[in-house]
Amino acid sequence: MKEALKEQVTTVMARIPEGRVTTYGTIARMTEGATARSVGYVLRTLPAGHDLPWFRIVRSGGVLADHGGADDQRRRLQDEGIVFDERGRIPARFFWP
DNA sequence: GACTTGACCACGG
DNA sequence: ACCGTGGCCAAGT
Protein backbone atom coordinates (compact mmCIF):
# COMPACT_ATOMS: atom_id res chain seq x y z
CA MET A 1 0.00 0.00 0.00
CA LYS A 2 1.32 3.42 -0.79
CA GLU A 3 0.90 5.52 2.31
CA ALA A 4 1.91 8.77 0.61
CA LEU A 5 -0.86 8.37 -1.93
CA LYS A 6 -3.47 7.72 0.72
CA GLU A 7 -2.36 10.68 2.75
CA GLN A 8 -2.46 13.11 -0.15
CA VAL A 9 -5.86 11.97 -1.32
CA THR A 10 -7.41 12.12 2.14
CA THR A 11 -5.92 15.56 2.73
CA VAL A 12 -7.55 17.00 -0.37
CA MET A 13 -10.79 15.17 0.33
CA ALA A 14 -11.00 16.76 3.76
CA ARG A 15 -11.22 20.25 2.28
CA ILE A 16 -14.13 19.73 -0.07
CA PRO A 17 -16.69 22.28 1.13
CA GLU A 18 -20.06 21.13 2.39
CA GLY A 19 -22.70 21.27 -0.29
CA ARG A 20 -20.22 20.85 -3.13
CA VAL A 21 -18.74 17.84 -4.93
CA THR A 22 -15.53 17.14 -6.76
CA THR A 23 -14.31 14.43 -9.09
CA TYR A 24 -11.71 11.69 -9.06
CA GLY A 25 -9.79 13.39 -11.82
CA THR A 26 -9.79 16.76 -10.07
CA ILE A 27 -8.34 15.25 -6.92
CA ALA A 28 -5.78 13.44 -9.00
CA ARG A 29 -4.66 16.73 -10.51
CA MET A 30 -4.46 18.44 -7.14
CA THR A 31 -2.08 15.82 -5.83
CA GLU A 32 1.35 14.72 -6.96
CA GLY A 33 1.52 11.33 -8.55
CA ALA A 34 -2.11 10.31 -8.14
CA THR A 35 -4.33 9.34 -11.05
CA ALA A 36 -8.11 9.10 -11.19
CA ARG A 37 -7.91 5.32 -10.85
CA SER A 38 -5.65 5.45 -7.85
CA VAL A 39 -8.03 7.89 -6.15
CA GLY A 40 -10.81 5.36 -6.61
CA TYR A 41 -8.57 2.72 -5.18
CA VAL A 42 -7.92 4.76 -2.05
CA LEU A 43 -11.63 5.35 -1.46
CA ARG A 44 -12.40 1.69 -1.88
CA THR A 45 -9.86 0.76 0.74
CA LEU A 46 -10.79 3.35 3.36
CA PRO A 47 -12.13 1.77 6.54
CA ALA A 48 -15.89 1.95 7.08
CA GLY A 49 -17.03 4.65 9.44
CA HIS A 50 -14.18 7.10 8.84
CA ASP A 51 -15.03 10.79 9.09
CA LEU A 52 -13.91 11.87 5.61
CA PRO A 53 -16.50 13.19 3.11
CA TRP A 54 -16.08 10.35 0.63
CA PHE A 55 -19.63 10.95 -0.62
CA ARG A 56 -18.61 14.30 -2.17
CA ILE A 57 -16.54 12.56 -4.81
CA VAL A 58 -18.32 11.75 -8.07
CA ARG A 59 -17.31 10.81 -11.58
CA SER A 60 -16.36 13.31 -14.20
CA GLY A 61 -19.69 14.39 -15.68
CA GLY A 62 -21.49 14.44 -12.34
CA VAL A 63 -22.67 10.84 -12.17
CA LEU A 64 -22.22 8.81 -9.01
CA ALA A 65 -19.56 6.13 -9.23
CA ASP A 66 -20.73 2.54 -9.35
CA HIS A 67 -20.16 1.01 -5.93
CA GLY A 68 -22.10 -0.51 -3.05
CA GLY A 69 -22.70 2.71 -1.15
CA ALA A 70 -24.09 4.71 -4.05
CA ASP A 71 -27.58 4.86 -2.60
CA ASP A 72 -26.30 6.21 0.71
CA GLN A 73 -24.13 8.63 -1.19
CA ARG A 74 -27.07 10.03 -3.09
CA ARG A 75 -29.06 10.53 0.09
CA ARG A 76 -26.22 12.23 1.89
CA LEU A 77 -25.61 14.63 -0.97
CA GLN A 78 -29.28 15.50 -1.17
CA ASP A 79 -29.25 16.14 2.57
CA GLU A 80 -26.53 18.71 1.93
CA GLY A 81 -28.70 20.47 -0.64
CA ILE A 82 -27.17 18.99 -3.78
CA VAL A 83 -29.65 18.49 -6.59
CA PHE A 84 -29.71 15.77 -9.25
CA ASP A 85 -31.13 16.54 -12.65
CA GLU A 86 -33.60 14.28 -14.44
CA ARG A 87 -30.80 12.08 -15.75
CA GLY A 88 -29.23 11.57 -12.34
CA ARG A 89 -26.38 13.99 -12.91
CA ILE A 90 -25.20 16.76 -10.60
CA PRO A 91 -25.19 20.19 -12.33
CA ALA A 92 -21.83 21.91 -12.83
CA ARG A 93 -22.61 24.67 -10.32
CA PHE A 94 -22.13 22.21 -7.43
CA PHE A 95 -18.60 21.27 -8.47
CA TRP A 96 -15.62 22.28 -6.44
CA PRO A 97 -13.23 24.01 -7.14
C1' DG B 1 6.88 -12.12 -13.16
C1' DA B 2 2.64 -12.37 -16.14
C1' DC B 3 -2.30 -11.42 -16.10
C1' DT B 4 -6.60 -9.69 -14.22
C1' DT B 5 -9.43 -6.31 -11.76
C1' DG B 6 -11.38 -2.00 -10.41
C1' DA B 7 -15.61 4.01 -6.40
C1' DC B 8 -11.58 6.50 -13.47
C1' DC B 9 -10.80 9.71 -17.71
C1' DA B 10 -10.04 11.95 -22.29
C1' DC B 11 -10.85 11.57 -26.89
C1' DG B 12 -12.26 10.23 -31.53
C1' DG B 13 -15.88 8.62 -34.51
C1' DA C 1 -25.29 12.21 -27.02
C1' DC C 2 -23.70 7.47 -27.02
C1' DC C 3 -20.17 3.90 -27.49
C1' DG C 4 -15.18 1.96 -28.10
C1' DT C 5 -10.42 2.40 -27.07
C1' DG C 6 -6.28 3.25 -24.88
C1' DG C 7 -4.09 5.08 -20.87
C1' DC C 8 -3.66 4.81 -15.99
C1' DC C 9 -1.85 2.47 -11.44
C1' DA C 10 -2.13 -0.24 -6.96
C1' DA C 11 -3.48 -4.92 -5.52
C1' DG C 12 -4.71 -9.52 -5.94
C1' DT C 13 -4.09 -14.22 -8.14
Side-chain angles (χ1 to χ4, degrees):
Chain A
M1 172 88 164
K2 284 204 165 184
E3 282 304 317
L5 173 64
K6 180 158 109 183
E7 185 184 340
Q8 287 184 97
V9 169
T10 53
T11 298
V12 174
M13 194 181 350
R15 13 184 241 264
I16 308 172
E18 188 175 328
R20 312 290 295 287
V21 296
T22 193
T23 71
Y24 295 86
T26 300
I27 291 182
R29 275 174 294 222
M30 288 194 254
T31 58
E32 291 291 331
T35 64
R37 268 204 119 98
S38 55
V39 173
Y41 168 77
V42 171
L43 263 60
R44 195 189 67 194
T45 56
L46 286 174
H50 60 72
D51 47 345
L52 295 163
W54 59 271
F55 50 87
R56 300 195 184 120
I57 303 179
V58 303
R59 288 215 279 220
S60 158
V63 174
L64 297 191
D66 179 17
H67 63 99
D71 291 331
D72 285 342
Q73 181 174 16
R74 178 165 178 135
R75 266 195 303 279
R76 299 194 59 172
L77 291 174
Q78 288 174 331
D79 286 349
E80 288 192 344
I82 289 173
V83 176
F84 291 77
D85 69 15
E86 55 286 337
R87 297 191 201 201
R89 294 178 338 227
I90 298 171
R93 64 176 181 279
F94 292 108
F95 281 50
W96 176 83

